[in-house]
Amino acid sequence: MSTALNTSCDCPECGGAVGLKNAPLRGEVVRCGDCSTELEITSTSPLTLSLAPQVQEDWGE
Amino acid sequence: MRVALLYTRVRVEERLLIEELGRRGIEHELIDARTCVFDIHDPAGWDRFDAVLDRCVSHTQGLTAVRMFEHAGVPSLNASAIIETCGDKLLTSAALARAGVPTPRVLVALDPESALGAIERMGYPAVLKPTVGSWGRLLSRVNDRDAAESILEHKATLGGPQHGVYYIQEYIDKPGRDIRVFMAGDEPIAAILRRSEHWITNTARGGKAEGLTIDPDLARVCRGAARAVGGGVLAIDVLEHPARGYLVGEVNHTMEFRNSIEPTGVDIPGRVIDHLLALAATRPPRTGDRVVEPKPAGVAHTPGAAALHGDPE
């Protein structure tokens, strides 16, 4: 049985293919190469992407 | 030993920290603060950790979750008291002033009319900042009374209740740069200069970082600032005043460091993990604890945490 992680998924905004160079992490934010939308990895198995939350006023370092 | 990395968004910094934990064979779990439910009457489920590392981008979610971890007896890097102070510019300024740490002058007002009077008293230009927030967002350099009236009206009309706190800071005419010093406890571990033509020099806003040697005076000022807010792992923003020397502007408790590793040559994530493990080692053993030998370096215990390199974008 294959244990390889899926590292490609469709962008929920434009439908373009979003490929990941590294092992995906839940909560990670990636950018669609086609439409530049910020996407959040909401599941790694299966790999699913959602629109990333917009920056909130209390975000920062 | 088992630690938790608390996050709301996994960025380059979190990846580097996770990599470091994996490299050292430290048992760890990634905890998305957004998914947590804490039972304040039965916090036992969370006490499986020896320490938690707060990496939440949301101040509110991070502070709340850390308070709950502490409620369960789990120490946090940084502690909730530090997060509370550093996450609020007014509390930070007050802590610095109490400790005698040099810092720009600050006035606070709670009403637009009072704020206008305070800005006039401060003199132009002055800087208006929200007390919570970061990355140089929503900062205003107020150059004259017309601008002051306009900005205050906008804040009063469009802002929520938190914008009814008017934090007015003396404007420091920076020489096209400011300084950021990374602290681990009492030790300044690295420093950068952030250069920008804009008066906002945050690297999030395009400021360019270069390494800086920490002189004894800078180290002393930053040590004082770190102690004033309670210690921990911090990034201290320092302004240079031609007559008054180093002035501490802000203290950041969930520091970003991706742009500072290369110019300083300092393994900042490694130093953060050093500090986290030292904190975890201070936790008293729980009933039923058993001694577990650490796994060999390079073995990560959390699925997906191994062999992560660089930015996936």
Side-chain angles (χ1 to χ4, degrees):
Chain A
M1 180 176 148
S2 170
T3 56
L5 286 168
N6 186 3
T7 56
S8 182
C9 192
D10 289 348
C11 172
E13 182 74 358
C14 73
V18 180
L20 308 178
K21 292 177 187 168
N22 302 296
L25 271 177
R26 191 171 180 278
E28 187 158 26
V29 174
V30 298
R31 191 178 292 277
C32 173
D34 288 347
C35 67
S36 296
T37 299
E38 278 199 332
L39 305 168
E40 178 178 343
I41 298 172
T42 48
S43 165
T44 56
S45 184
L47 181 62
T48 57
L49 302 171
S50 301
L51 299 184
Q54 297 294 306
V55 174
Q56 302 293 310
E57 278 190 30
D58 75 333
W59 284 20
E61 53 173 335
Chain B
M1 179 179 292
R2 178 191 288 152
V3 299
L5 189 146
L6 184 68
Y7 72 95
T8 49
R9 179 177 254 221
V10 175
R11 302 159 294 171
V12 174
E13 283 81 2
E14 284 70 47
R15 267 192 175 266
L16 293 170
L17 292 163
I18 294 163
E19 279 185 350
E20 186 64 23
L21 287 167
R23 226 181 336 263
R24 297 187 191 198
I26 304 298
E27 193 173 355
H28 59 280
E29 291 182 33
L30 310 182
I31 306 288
D32 184 343
R34 298 169 298 180
T35 67
C36 293
V37 176
F38 299 97
D39 183 343
I40 62 169
H41 305 288
D42 182 19
W46 296 101
D47 73 351
R48 63 186 182 276
F49 300 108
D50 294 294
V52 58
L53 176 60
D54 170 36
R55 291 295 310 172
C56 293
V57 290
S58 162
H59 171 64
T60 311
Q61 290 172 328
L63 177 58
T64 304
V66 165
R67 282 176 173 156
M68 291 296 96
F69 272 99
E70 290 177 342
H71 178 59
V74 181
S76 176
L77 185 67
N78 287 306
S80 61
I82 299 170
I83 298 170
E84 193 172 17
T85 300
C86 296
D88 184 315
K89 293 181 178 65
L90 182 56
L91 293 180
T92 305
S93 296
L96 295 173
R98 274 198 306 277
V101 176
T103 187
R105 187 172 174 226
V106 169
L107 299 175
V108 62
L110 303 173
D111 171 89
E113 197 172 325
S114 303
L116 182 60
I119 292 169
E120 295 265 300
R121 189 170 139 199
M122 181 71 80
Y124 297 103
V127 179
L128 255 175
K129 295 181 175 182
T131 54
V132 175
S134 194
W135 302 328
R137 287 172 300 129
L138 298 176
L139 308 188
S140 304
R141 182 169 69 182
V142 185
N143 289 331
D144 54 34
R145 186 180 176 100
D146 287 345
E149 289 175 341
S150 173
I151 292 165
L152 292 172
E153 184 183 4
H154 277 81
K155 283 172 75 73
T157 306
L158 301 176
Q162 70 275 21
H163 287 280
V165 177
Y166 299 91
Y167 175 98
I168 300 148
Q169 190 179 59
E170 167 191 14
Y171 177 75
I172 306 296
D173 193 10
K174 296 180 284 192
R177 67 185 198 186
D178 70 1
I179 295 168
R180 167 162 286 197
V181 179
F182 297 90
M183 300 289 296
D186 253 359
E187 185 190 357
I189 59 172
I192 56 166
L193 279 176
R194 302 186 298 187
R195 293 190 185 278
S196 174
E197 296 303 310
H198 197 276
W199 68 280
I200 297 173
T201 46
N202 299 54
T203 54
R205 296 281 295 265
K208 301 297 179 198
E210 58 185 80
L212 174 72
T213 301
I214 302 167
D215 67 53
D217 197 31
L218 181 59
R220 179 185 57 78
V221 168
C222 289
R223 200 169 285 123
R227 288 177 181 170
V229 301
V233 171
L234 304 165
I236 300 178
D237 294 343
V238 180
L239 313 170
E240 298 161 282
H241 190 280
R244 290 146 64 192
Y246 295 124
L247 303 178
V248 174
E250 295 182 10
V251 183
N252 301 282
H253 63 277
T254 319
M255 62 198 197
E256 291 165 354
F257 48 77
R258 74 182 71 174
N259 297 316
S260 303
I261 299 170
E262 190 272 329
T264 63
V266 176
D267 176 15
I268 297 173
R271 301 301 299 270
V272 173
I273 297 302
D274 287 344
H275 213 75
L276 177 69
L277 298 184
L279 177 69
T282 66
R283 185 176 181 187
R286 285 144 295 200
T287 307
D289 270 2
R290 62 191 175 86
V291 177
V292 178
E293 291 299 322
K295 297 273 181 81
V299 177
H301 296 248
T302 302
L308 305 173
H309 299 286
D311 191 333
E313 296 177 37

